[in-house]
Amino acid sequence: MSSSVIFCDASHGAYSATLPDAGVLAPGTILIYKKTDASVNAVTISGASGATIDGEVSIGLAQPYEAVSLATNGANWFVVSASSSLPTFRGARVTISSDYSVPPNTYVYVPWDVADVDTDGFWSASDPTKLTVPSGIKRVRLTFNTMWKDLASGVVNTHTMQNRDLYPGMGQKMELPTVSTEGVVVTYTNVVSAAVEVEEGDYFELRVVQGDSVARDLWKFEETWCEIAAVE
C-alpha cells in the first residue's frame, strides 16, 4: 500500500484535479488531496477513465484547508477520511419581511415568513412560528434579535420556548425603552441560549410581550430574527 499527498492551491481561483487511472494502480493505493488556502474558491477532484468517487463523478473541497483521503480498489475511488477546519453548519435563520404588530400586554409567538438559511427544513411556511429539530441532532443553540418601533413605555419580555414551555438554558431578556443619542426611542434585544438537549420533533418559538398602552411593531428583516444552530 502506498500513499501520496497532492497540494491544491485555489487562492487565485477554482482548482481542478483529476485522479490517476485507478486501473494502473495497486488496490489500496491512497491519495490525499489538501486544499492549501483559506479562500472560498472550490477544489474539484474528478475520476479518470469513467472511475467514480463514492459513486460520484467528482467531489469538492470548499472549506479553508480542507482535505480528503481517497483509496482505490483498482477500478474506482472511495473516501476513507475527510477533514475540514470549519464545521458544517446545520440550522436555520428566519426573519419577518414586514413590520409585525404586537398588541399590548399579550403574549405572541412571532410568525416568521422568510428563511435566510435553512439547511435541513427546520422552518415551514405552513407552521411559521416554529423551528423544528430534524433527526440526527442532539443539542442546539438559539439566538434571537428584536427591535421595537416607537415603544414609549412598559417592559418588553422576549424569550424562546421549547415545545411551548420554559426550558433549562433558555435565552430571555426583559428591557425598557431607551432614548438613543439621536433622540429616537429604541428597544432591542440580542440573546443567546445555552446548548440545549433536544430530540427529533422538538420545536422552538420566539415569544414576545410588550407593556405599552397600544400596539407596537417589531421591525422587519435584519432587526428581528431568530437562529437555531446544531452544536451536536
Side-chain angles (χ1 to χ4, degrees):
M1 181 185 298
S2 63
S3 63
S4 300
V5 180
I6 296 91
F7 296 106
C8 307
D9 182 2
S11 59
H12 300 294
Y15 185 101
S16 296
T18 301
L19 287 157
D21 187 348
V24 301
L25 298 174
T29 298
I30 295 175
L31 297 181
I32 303 167
Y33 285 81
K34 172 69 176 179
K35 189 175 188 291
T36 60
D37 62 275
S39 74
V40 297
N41 302 320
V43 172
T44 301
I45 305 165
S46 305
S49 304
T52 59
I53 308 168
D54 278 359
E56 301 293 333
V57 174
S58 64
I59 60 172
L61 305 178
Q63 301 292 349
Y65 304 107
E66 190 173 359
V68 63
S69 297
L70 304 172
T72 182
N73 63 355
N76 293 296
W77 294 89
F78 302 90
V79 175
V80 292
S81 68
S83 68
S84 173
S85 61
L86 294 177
T88 301
F89 175 78
R90 293 187 70 187
R93 184 178 65 252
V94 290
T95 185
I96 50 178
S97 61
S98 59
D99 295 344
Y100 180 69
S101 180
V102 177
N105 302 304
T106 303
Y107 282 104
V108 172
Y109 293 93
V110 178
W112 313 106
D113 62 355
V114 176
D116 295 324
V117 179
D118 190 358
T119 64
D120 293 71
F122 288 84
W123 179 77
S124 170
S126 63
D127 211 352
T129 65
K130 298 179 180 180
L131 293 171
T132 303
V133 178
S135 62
I137 294 175
K138 297 179 180 179
R139 293 178 185 269
V140 299
R141 179 171 284 116
L142 281 294
T143 307
F144 65 81
N145 191 88
T146 62
M147 183 171 286
W148 296 83
K149 180 184 292 186
D150 301 326
L151 191 71
S153 64
V155 175
V156 169
N157 189 351
T158 312
H159 52 271
T160 50
M161 301 283 284
Q162 182 180 17
N163 304 326
R164 292 273 167 122
D165 201 356
L166 306 180
Y167 60 93
M170 63 181 287
Q172 182 175 8
K173 186 71 176 288
M174 298 182 71
E175 193 77 24
L176 289 168
T178 303
V179 180
S180 71
T181 56
E182 293 80 14
V184 178
V185 177
V186 294
T187 308
Y188 60 88
T189 58
N190 183 271
V191 179
V192 181
S193 77
V196 181
E197 291 186 1
V198 293
E199 297 179 352
E200 181 181 358
D202 284 351
Y203 63 90
F204 294 85
E205 297 170 287
L206 183 63
R207 190 173 78 166
V208 301
V209 62
Q210 58 91 7
D212 208 340
S213 59
V214 296
R216 296 298 183 186
D217 288 348
L218 282 169
W219 279 2
K220 62 183 178 180
F221 290 129
E222 66 271 10
E223 308 296 357
T224 299
W225 51 266
C226 187
E227 180 182 85
I228 184 171
V231 297
E232 183 181 347

